[in-house]
Amino acid sequence: MHRTALVALTSLAVAYAQQAGTQTPEVHPPLTWQTCTASGTCSNVAGKIVLDSNWRWLHTTTGYTNCYTGNTWDTSICDSDESCATACALDGADYTGTYGITATGSSLKLDFVTASNVGSRVYLMASDTEYEMFKLLNQEFTFDVDVSKLPCGLNGALYFSEMAADGGMSTQPNNKAGAKFGTGYCDSQCPRDLKFIDGKANVEGWDGDSNSANSGKGATGACCNEMDIWEANSMAAAFTPHPCAGDGLQACTGDACNGGTAGLCDPAGCDFNSFRMGDESFYGAGLTVDTTKPFTVVTQFLTSDNTTTGTLSEIRRLYVQNNKVIQNSKVNIPGIDSSFDSITDEFCSQQKAAFDDTNLFANQGGLKQMGASFAKGVVLVLSIWDDYAANMLWLDSDYPTTSPATNPGVHRGNCATTSGAPADVESQSGSAAVTFSNIKFGPIGSTFKSSGSTTPPTNPTTPPTGPPTTTNPNPPSATQTHYGQCGGTGYAGPTVCASGTSCQKLNDFYSQCL
């Protein structure tokens, strides 16, 4: 959500750049992931990752003098957007030693603090010169995650942005670095802290941030469609589509960067945070999704006609932990239909009304626009970061802090409103880390297996503290909801599907109400 505060605090210069340096060879760490077929057969793909250019050393093309130091450009080297694009080069990265990034087989660990570096952002590559492009319509994206070492104020994020496959190299004459050096970032926040945008420097009008010694903002921002699959720590988690009005990276200035009715994008998006949506017993340490242990996150992108060319109509979430499928939590907010457990345009409309928010999601085209982005192809982003703009309170605490916590949508997690200050998080939680692993992609129902199912209560409440109540030894047979699990090897949950749907076998381990 608040990506503009994502910075690296390193002893090296921190900047976006377009020329390629040669001081340190750029060697992309390998990361294996899998593509799956409808039958559930998955095959390994020999992928790689690349560090975002915002973390790299930026120096003169004629030597090794920093073009950017602290939070300021050296305008004695270059003082215009055009001149800095040709005068400065970014260099290769020591992934583990400098940035705390470790890729082993199908597992990627991102450390929060490594020496003087804080956080990181990487992209999945198809080759050494192009990002892997995912087309998500009528597909399923799955990964394992360990958030047990992510406290309040941190975000281990996995998301998609509509970046150019080559990092903009083919359309930007000054960009000689391209995807090989992690160029071309954009998102729905229209971040202005990027040193190079659309092949030009962002030096003109650049101001260093007052609360950060390493970051600043220029006059230009970089906007594009963004799908947040996973923004989370051990306390709270959200998945959020963020549509933008146009295609690909769009440079913005002024009000166009700032959201609102004049903005190019919807920076807030339409989020599903189980805690914020009324189930405070679903996600966390020892809860239904137990964040003290790794678990699997499944996201399904359903279309109106169940084809890869249809209109995006719903984004669904499942979890798998201890070999059991966990259906997503239900909504328990006055004014929102309690049957909702996924993101649809209707859910978003009701949510915005209940939370008294402007429906920028609908204004920017809603799920239809998000689906158009998926059809073109999007880049997988993985990161760990702290939030200089809002201390991550929008994810795991009460936000905005000026509103009563009892107002619908304000209470988003149990972290204190005094938590999340970057200076505190960096000094007290330097050993924090997130591990992503076992990335899989394929048709609906193809990427995961289980031996059973867990369905949260329809109207969730905070767990009772009194003695247990007596249960009916002969409860009525349950009916599974649309898209819920209804069969599979070892499955013991409901097998009768809701009216209008039928139980369809997707593989030996999973049948779904479709």
Side-chain angles (χ1 to χ4, degrees):
M1 185 175 178
H2 293 270
R3 208 85 60 212
T4 57
L6 191 60
V7 295
L9 309 182
T10 73
S11 57
L12 304 177
V14 180
Y16 254 63
Q18 305 305 119
Q19 307 301 310
T22 58
Q23 172 79 356
T24 301
E26 175 61 16
V27 179
H28 300 129
L31 181 68
T32 301
W33 59 286
Q34 292 189 318
T35 57
C36 303
T37 64
S39 64
T41 301
C42 299
S43 302
N44 287 339
V45 179
K48 303 178 180 183
I49 58 165
V50 61
L51 178 70
D52 183 293
S53 56
N54 218 34
W55 271 256
R56 296 174 182 272
W57 179 27
L58 179 67
H59 58 74
T60 58
T61 56
T62 56
Y64 298 103
T65 302
N66 289 351
C67 286
Y68 181 91
T69 303
N71 61 8
T72 307
W73 285 88
D74 186 342
T75 54
S76 68
I77 295 173
C78 57
D79 60 3
S80 72
D81 294 352
E82 292 288 350
S83 62
C84 288
T86 56
C88 301
L90 59 87
D91 229 301
D94 177 358
Y95 281 77
T96 302
T98 300
Y99 301 101
I101 300 168
T102 305
T104 306
S106 63
S107 178
L108 175 67
K109 183 184 179 187
L110 303 178
D111 290 335
F112 178 44
V113 176
T114 304
S116 57
N117 178 74
V118 174
S120 60
R121 182 167 64 209
V122 301
Y123 310 116
L124 185 65
M125 306 194 82
S127 70
D128 281 321
T129 57
E130 287 198 335
Y131 302 129
E132 185 68 50
M133 302 301 289
F134 288 86
K135 296 187 176 183
L136 301 175
L137 290 177
N138 201 43
Q139 300 293 297
E140 181 175 277
F141 184 88
T142 295
F143 63 95
D144 294 349
V145 67
D146 184 347
V147 296
S148 62
K149 296 181 179 180
L150 290 180
C152 297
L154 279 179
N155 191 332
L158 181 151
Y159 57 104
F160 290 101
S161 287
E162 196 184 320
M163 299 162 59
D166 64 357
M169 198 169 181
S170 62
T171 59
Q172 301 164 5
N174 290 329
N175 187 347
K176 308 301 181 186
K180 180 178 179 180
F181 289 85
T183 69
Y185 183 71
C186 56
D187 67 35
S188 64
Q189 306 298 305
C190 300
R192 293 165 47 214
D193 63 342
L194 308 181
K195 311 306 183 293
F196 276 78
I197 295 173
D198 207 18
K200 296 180 181 180
N202 203 11
V203 63
E204 297 173 26
W206 184 272
D207 287 319
D209 288 341
S210 60
N211 65 343
S212 171
N214 292 269
S215 65
K217 293 180 179 64
T220 306
C223 309
C224 68
N225 289 287
E226 174 186 0
M227 175 65 221
D228 290 329
I229 301 289
W230 187 248
E231 293 200 283
N233 52 39
S234 61
M235 302 293 291
F239 62 107
T240 313
H242 298 265
C244 299
D247 297 332
L249 189 156
Q250 302 177 87
C252 69
T253 57
D255 287 344
C257 299
N258 298 329
T261 56
L264 295 176
C265 293
D266 173 19
C270 175
D271 69 300
F272 199 111
N273 172 338
S274 291
F275 192 106
R276 189 185 188 209
M277 298 314 301
D279 190 343
E280 300 181 10
S281 63
F282 182 72
Y283 179 93
L287 301 183
T288 303
V289 178
D290 183 0
T291 58
T292 66
K293 304 172 183 178
F295 51 88
T296 300
V297 181
V298 182
T299 311
Q300 300 173 332
F301 302 94
L302 306 169
T303 59
S304 56
D305 60 0
N306 296 319
T307 72
T308 56
T309 58
T311 300
L312 181 66
S313 59
E314 187 175 10
I315 302 172
R316 292 199 60 82
R317 167 58 49 85
L318 299 168
Y319 298 91
V320 183
Q321 192 171 43
N322 298 325
N323 210 30
K324 304 286 187 181
V325 173
I326 302 171
Q327 306 295 327
N328 194 31
S329 61
K330 299 286 187 181
V331 172
N332 186 30
I333 297 290
I336 307 179
D337 192 327
S338 62
S339 67
F340 284 131
D341 60 0
S342 64
I343 293 176
T344 64
D345 285 327
E346 179 59 26
F347 161 77
C348 296
S349 294
Q350 291 189 25
Q351 182 203 73
K352 298 300 182 183
F355 294 168
D356 197 25
D357 293 333
T358 301
N359 195 352
L360 297 178
F361 182 76
N363 293 351
Q364 296 291 6
L367 287 184
K368 181 178 181 181
Q369 175 64 12
M370 203 73 249
S373 174
F374 296 166
K376 291 188 287 287
V378 287
V379 175
L380 179 62
V381 188
L382 307 100
S383 70
I384 184 170
W385 60 289
D386 55 353
D387 183 1
Y388 276 78
N391 296 352
M392 216 70 72
L393 301 180
W394 56 268
L395 174 66
D396 59 23
S397 185
D398 297 339
Y399 190 82
T401 56
T402 53
S403 298
T406 53
N407 284 8
V410 172
H411 197 38
R412 303 157 187 252
N414 279 328
C415 295
T417 55
T418 55
S419 69
D424 296 337
V425 178
E426 291 163 18
S427 63
Q428 299 169 13
S429 302
S431 61
V434 64
T435 300
F436 299 104
S437 59
N438 299 322
I439 294 170
K440 297 181 181 182
F441 181 67
I444 303 295
S446 68
T447 65
F448 66 100
K449 298 177 181 179
S450 73
S451 62
S453 180
T454 299
T455 304
T458 301
N459 293 302
T461 59
T462 303
T465 56
T469 57
T470 302
T471 58
N472 184 349
N474 297 299
S477 59
T479 299
Q480 185 57 279
T481 59
H482 192 195
Y483 298 113
Q485 185 177 6
C486 56
T489 301
Y491 173 73
T495 58
V496 177
C497 291
S499 177
T501 66
S502 61
C503 189
Q504 298 185 25
K505 179 179 177 180
L506 300 179
N507 56 58
D508 289 342
F509 298 89
Y510 193 79
S511 297
Q512 192 171 32
C513 292
L514 298 171

